[in-house]
Amino acid sequence: MRNIFFAALSGLLLHGSCSHAQEYSYNLKFTVSKKNFVDSIPIEFNNGRIILKAYSGGREYRFFLDTGSSQGVIYNNSALRYIRERGTITSHDANGTSHKIMTVEYPRFRIGSLEISGYCGSLLPRQSYSDDHDAIIGFDIINKGILAKIDVASGMLILTDNRRYFDSEMGYVMKYRLLRWVPNVKLSPFINCTDEARFDTGSRRLYEMSNHSCTTFSRSIYDFGSQIEGITHGSRTIASFGKEDHGQMAFLHLDRLMMGGFSFLDYHTITTQGNSRIGSELLNYGSVIINPFRKEITFYPYKDEGYYEVSNKQMDIAFVPMNGKASVGIIWEGSRHYQNGFRQGDVIISINGTPIDTFNAFLSYPFVDGFTYTFIVRGVDGSIRGIESER
């Protein structure tokens, strides 16, 4: 049911300084085995995630490259075991929720021909949507002074410490600034509108606008209201520390979304209670080069006519965990799911007679496109009812 389920976000942002001996502060003290190198590393682009193979202790692991995470993440039940604890740090997830968490040191590992030692990451419980990888590499690999070209069409990640290696390639340039050690760029979602968005490959949609930006544009920009299809209340984004708070969200239909001079036309999206974000969907339309020396992200469209007509469908319902169960986090009243009977807060009890006891059970249900399913749900008033809905 991926067409009606909003994907989870995994980015973690670090904050704070080392005021006690047992605390850890963000640093780039890890080492890379080569200098003056260019390395081409095979990648998979799997369900919106950039996955590369890493090797440690004679074993192969799957690492997720997440530009929205300031450092790596390793899971407390991962097959990849950390070497030692390095201290606690205050971390913020994609929804802005903060927790003090443990930072640990990875074992020495290899990606491509590069050996990396002393790399650190946050220690977190594994979420159900993280099952396709063993650990995360964050934007610190770029902040170390390594340029990266991400090209999912050719299935390659090119890393180099030669700051002029990509100079001959021409594209659409977006300057970025680091906020909590991750890149944020300016873009234009509407005429006379400028938004700042995090470049976050841990987010899957091409663009999500923050509620704050949407409210600001609605109040200050003439005719921005023409881009709003509907308003709802609820929550949908699942980040490292849980789902976002209940609040107002807008369903948007953007006539033109411009990034670095390149336009995406006829694009449906939704607002978020976290920061505005550019996600990994951008990589479906072209490759990206990140240059930490110039603080530039350059987009190279696979088909360069100056624009791309997206014409995607609005994602009008989202399921989130609620007390361990799958629940409707948001729903648009103009959607077929609303017409079929779904309401905000409904908890899924069963699908086609199969009990859905956990959120994981919902995520793993074998939906098939085009099929109609019978959902038994419990409403916020406690009533039980059946809903027929197509995948």
Side-chain angles (χ1 to χ4, degrees):
M1 210 166 194
R2 292 174 185 165
N3 60 327
I4 61 172
F5 173 69
F6 283 90
L9 300 172
S10 56
L12 284 177
L13 308 176
L14 303 182
H15 176 70
S17 60
C18 189
S19 57
H20 299 87
Q22 72 273 20
E23 290 192 359
Y24 175 88
S25 58
Y26 181 84
N27 67 73
L28 303 172
K29 294 180 180 179
F30 61 92
T31 60
V32 179
S33 60
K34 292 185 176 181
K35 293 188 180 300
N36 301 316
F37 69 87
V38 178
D39 199 16
S40 297
I41 301 168
I43 57 173
E44 302 173 23
F45 193 52
N46 183 19
N47 199 20
R49 292 191 177 105
I50 304 163
I51 303 294
L52 55 148
K53 293 178 181 179
Y55 301 88
S56 179
R59 294 187 58 180
E60 179 183 294
Y61 299 94
R62 292 167 60 81
F63 282 14
F64 165 31
L65 177 62
D66 184 359
T67 62
S69 185
S70 52
Q71 68 172 14
V73 172
I74 194 168
Y75 303 105
N76 54 16
N77 64 345
S78 173
L80 180 72
R81 308 307 299 172
Y82 63 86
I83 295 176
R84 62 181 65 89
E85 295 179 350
R86 298 297 298 270
T88 59
I89 196 166
T90 301
S91 179
H92 302 257
D93 70 6
N95 293 328
T97 304
S98 64
H99 282 280
K100 184 157 283 193
I101 58 176
M102 181 59 65
T103 297
V104 297
E105 183 177 334
Y106 286 41
R108 178 181 297 182
F109 62 89
R110 176 175 59 84
I111 54 173
S113 63
L114 303 176
E115 296 276 352
I116 298 177
S117 304
Y119 188 78
C120 291
S122 305
L123 180 64
L124 292 176
R126 180 182 292 277
Q127 302 288 352
S128 59
Y129 38 78
S130 300
D131 289 340
D132 64 344
H133 61 273
D134 299 295
I136 286 173
I137 296 180
F139 200 72
D140 49 356
I141 195 72
I142 310 296
N143 286 336
K144 182 73 172 175
I146 298 177
L147 289 76
K149 180 175 182 178
I150 307 169
D151 187 346
V152 301
S154 64
M156 297 301 294
L157 169 68
I158 301 174
L159 299 179
T160 180
D161 61 351
N162 181 343
R163 64 179 66 197
R164 303 188 65 85
Y165 184 76
F166 297 112
D167 281 2
S168 63
E169 301 193 35
M170 305 296 292
Y172 296 84
V173 177
M174 295 175 281
K175 287 285 190 180
Y176 71 81
R177 66 173 180 142
L178 291 175
L179 295 176
R180 292 181 178 152
W181 310 108
V182 296
N184 291 258
V185 304
K186 297 288 183 65
L187 53 80
S188 175
F190 188 63
I191 299 171
N192 296 324
C193 289
T194 300
D195 194 16
E196 186 170 37
R198 180 184 306 153
F199 177 59
D200 181 4
T201 56
S203 177
R204 297 181 186 178
R205 294 181 67 81
L206 175 64
Y207 169 65
E208 294 174 319
M209 182 185 294
S210 71
N211 281 334
H212 174 75
S213 294
C214 185
T215 299
T216 300
F217 297 151
S218 296
R219 292 173 177 172
S220 61
I221 303 298
Y222 172 75
D223 205 30
F224 181 79
S226 66
Q227 308 296 286
I228 300 176
E229 289 188 305
I231 299 292
T232 190
H233 289 78
S235 63
R236 67 177 183 88
T237 301
I238 310 166
S240 298
F241 303 138
K243 65 182 181 63
E244 64 187 349
D245 293 334
H246 188 97
Q248 180 173 294
M249 298 179 185
F251 296 94
L252 303 177
H253 184 186
L254 302 179
D255 297 331
R256 182 230 55 174
L257 169 65
M258 184 173 289
M259 300 183 191
F262 189 88
S263 294
F264 295 91
L265 308 180
D266 188 18
Y267 182 65
H268 290 85
T269 188
I270 193 168
T271 60
T272 174
Q273 295 180 43
N275 291 349
S276 298
R277 293 182 286 263
I278 299 170
S280 62
E281 187 183 353
L282 177 66
L283 302 172
N284 290 326
Y285 304 108
S287 62
V288 165
I289 291 176
I290 309 171
N291 187 325
F293 299 103
R294 296 176 181 168
K295 287 190 168 51
E296 292 177 350
I297 296 173
T298 306
F299 174 64
Y300 301 84
Y302 296 131
K303 182 181 179 182
D304 190 2
E305 296 178 348
Y307 71 93
Y308 190 93
E309 191 159 348
V310 182
S311 301
N312 62 322
K313 293 181 179 179
Q314 181 64 269
M315 298 186 72
D316 46 25
I317 188 171
F319 292 88
V320 296
M322 178 68 70
N323 299 323
K325 307 283 189 179
S327 172
V328 176
I330 60 165
I331 186 167
W332 178 31
E333 293 186 6
S335 71
R336 61 182 175 87
H337 307 292
Y338 189 91
Q339 295 170 0
N340 289 340
F342 280 110
R343 295 294 182 268
Q344 200 277 329
D346 282 347
V347 174
I348 308 300
I349 298 174
S350 69
I351 303 173
N352 280 5
T354 300
I356 304 298
D357 298 324
T358 65
F359 189 63
N360 282 0
F362 174 77
L363 293 183
S364 60
Y365 189 86
F367 291 106
V368 177
D369 286 340
F371 278 54
T372 297
Y373 295 88
T374 300
F375 294 80
I376 304 300
V377 304
R378 181 174 60 251
V380 292
D381 61 356
S383 62
I384 306 297
R385 65 187 191 279
I387 299 172
E388 299 289 323
S389 185
E390 183 180 322
R391 159 66 166 87

